Amino acid sequence: MGAHFAVSTILVLCLLGISANAEVFTIGSSSGSDITQALLKAFTSACQSTSPSKVVIPKGEFKLGEIEMRGPCKAPVEITLQGTVKADGNTNHGKDKWVVFGNINGFKLNGGGAFDGEGNAAWRVNNCHKTFECKKLPISVRFDFVENAEIKDISSIDAKNFHINVLGAKNMTMDNIKITAPEDSPNTDGIHLGRSDGVKILNSFISTGDDCISVGDGMKNLHVEKVVCGPGHGISVGSLGRYGHEEDVSGIRVVNCTLQETDNGLRIKTWPSAACSTTASDIHFEDIIVKNVSNPILIDQEYCPWNQCNKQKASTIKLVNISFKNIRGTSGNKDAVKLLCSKGYPCQKVEIGDIDIAYSGADGPATFQCSNVSPQLLGSQSPKACSGPVTTTPQQ
């Protein structure tokens, strides 16, 4: 039997605890079948409904091809994913998307289900971390210009590229998101955000092969709290400056998080020989536990992976009003704190308060390095602030 959807009765609506004037569109299909067309039809019907509506994908495993669910919609739409939807296992070279939710005002995605990107074959041929000239791979879940949204109780597994990408969002909350991929899977950023305003990421677990959370240009007012990250490459603002026409970043706050076994910790990275001149300001990290994290605190304005730029030309990205407070735990290398700012535009208003990061390796003790910055120091710092010689940073 092919996949289909059915409109539920008012009785079912009441049992689901939603208003009786709403409609529920349930995907009816046997486990293992392809639900792409049924889901698109259900979403289109829900989007055209003049009252709030809900699309339910039941428990089970289903195949899902490339799909774009775009508004504008006439009323709020909720999608409840109870089962697992699986991408095909091919490399999908040349495609940049799998599941897209776009141009929706008033959107919910929930249900405890999972998006499985089946990324294993794609990882073996992915070289985008080494070169600009690479074939695109699909991002698992994209939110394009989605406003007033709640994404809750959803998992992403083994994405071919980024797990989740957020662009042009306003007033979005992500809560209890679980993201997993092997630590050697390339370019599998957990949540990448850019050109959005007012996003919260709460109570989530991210273990992947690249940044757990990465902040791109144009991001404003991001709040990250109670996120466990690792393995992965930590929580990063940037990289910034790789492209022309980038926009300023401001209002980034990361609090009460735990990073474990990550290749980087709390990081701000900008390109030398940047293609633009922008400002990243009001970026604050506070109450963070690090467990065997390499480069736990890092400002790197000489970020140039695989020598794809001219490091002799200073970064033109200005960093202003940055703070790291109450960061404690253990480092995986001796570079516990490294503030490597631009010689052309030194960092301004950097505040360091109550740092306690230990390192027990044979090449220790831990160091705290500063270049082109004079941080304001509050409380105590271990290791001692700006006491170590400046060394180069491995690029990832």
Side-chain angles (χ1 to χ4, degrees), residues 106-372:
F107 177 70
K108 291 183 178 180
L109 174 64
N110 52 41
F115 296 90
D116 185 345
E118 293 279 344
N120 187 56
W123 300 330
R124 292 196 294 268
V125 297
N126 187 341
N127 64 345
C128 291
H129 56 300
K130 297 181 181 181
T131 177
F132 286 151
E133 304 299 327
C134 64
K135 294 181 180 179
K136 293 180 179 179
L137 289 166
I139 293 168
S140 275
V141 183
R142 278 177 33 181
F143 298 99
D144 296 351
F145 306 97
V146 175
E147 302 182 11
N148 301 308
E150 180 185 83
I151 318 302
K152 187 174 184 179
D153 304 332
I154 289 294
S155 297
S156 176
I157 305 164
D158 291 349
K160 293 180 174 72
N161 195 346
F162 294 179
H163 288 265
I164 295 173
N165 190 82
V166 179
L167 175 68
K170 293 183 179 178
N171 188 28
M172 172 183 285
T173 297
M174 296 187 180
D175 192 354
N176 192 30
I177 307 300
K178 184 177 181 180
I179 292 174
T180 55
E183 61 182 304
D184 59 352
S185 55
N187 292 103
T188 52
D189 289 38
I191 303 174
H192 179 76
L193 311 99
R195 305 204 178 191
S196 300
D197 190 347
V199 178
K200 295 179 181 178
I201 303 174
L202 311 172
N203 308 305
S204 296
F205 175 83
I206 305 174
S207 174
T208 191
D210 210 300
D211 294 335
C212 292
I213 297 171
S214 57
V215 178
D217 78 285
M219 190 66 216
K220 298 179 180 178
N221 302 313
L222 170 67
H223 183 89
V224 178
E225 185 169 2
K226 294 183 180 178
V227 169
V228 175
C229 162
H233 292 178
I235 297 176
S236 295
V237 177
S239 60
L240 303 175
R242 181 174 180 178
Y243 303 105
H245 309 293
E246 291 189 9
E247 299 177 5
D248 291 347
V249 172
S250 65
I252 311 300
R253 186 170 176 82
V254 179
V255 299
N256 196 16
C257 294
T258 298
L259 285 75
Q260 51 195 21
E261 306 288 339
T262 54
D263 289 346
N264 290 285
L266 310 170
R267 178 167 57 156
I268 302 172
K269 50 182 177 176
T270 76
W271 288 72
S273 60
C276 59
S277 297
T278 58
T279 299
S281 61
D282 301 310
I283 301 171
H284 304 289
F285 303 95
E286 188 168 0
D287 296 328
I288 310 293
I289 295 173
V290 293
K291 299 179 180 179
N292 196 32
V293 169
S294 297
N295 309 308
I297 297 175
L298 177 61
I299 294 178
D300 184 4
Q301 293 209 261
E302 294 184 357
Y303 179 75
C304 186
W306 303 96
N307 295 314
Q308 298 178 73
C309 60
N310 178 10
K311 294 185 72 169
Q312 300 306 311
K313 186 178 178 182
S315 178
T316 53
I317 310 301
K318 303 176 185 69
L319 301 183
V320 182
N321 194 18
I322 315 293
S323 70
F324 299 90
K325 295 181 178 178
N326 195 24
I327 317 297
R328 60 202 186 278
T330 57
S331 179
N333 65 351
K334 67 184 298 181
D335 299 334
V337 183
K338 181 181 283 191
L339 310 179
L340 187 59
C341 295
S342 170
K343 58 181 179 287
Y345 297 89
C347 299
Q348 301 175 24
K349 297 182 180 178
V350 175
E351 192 172 279
I352 305 292
D354 292 312
I355 305 299
D356 187 2
I357 301 174
Y359 174 63
S360 58
D363 59 337
T367 63
F368 188 139
Q369 306 173 36
C370 300
S371 177
N372 303 307

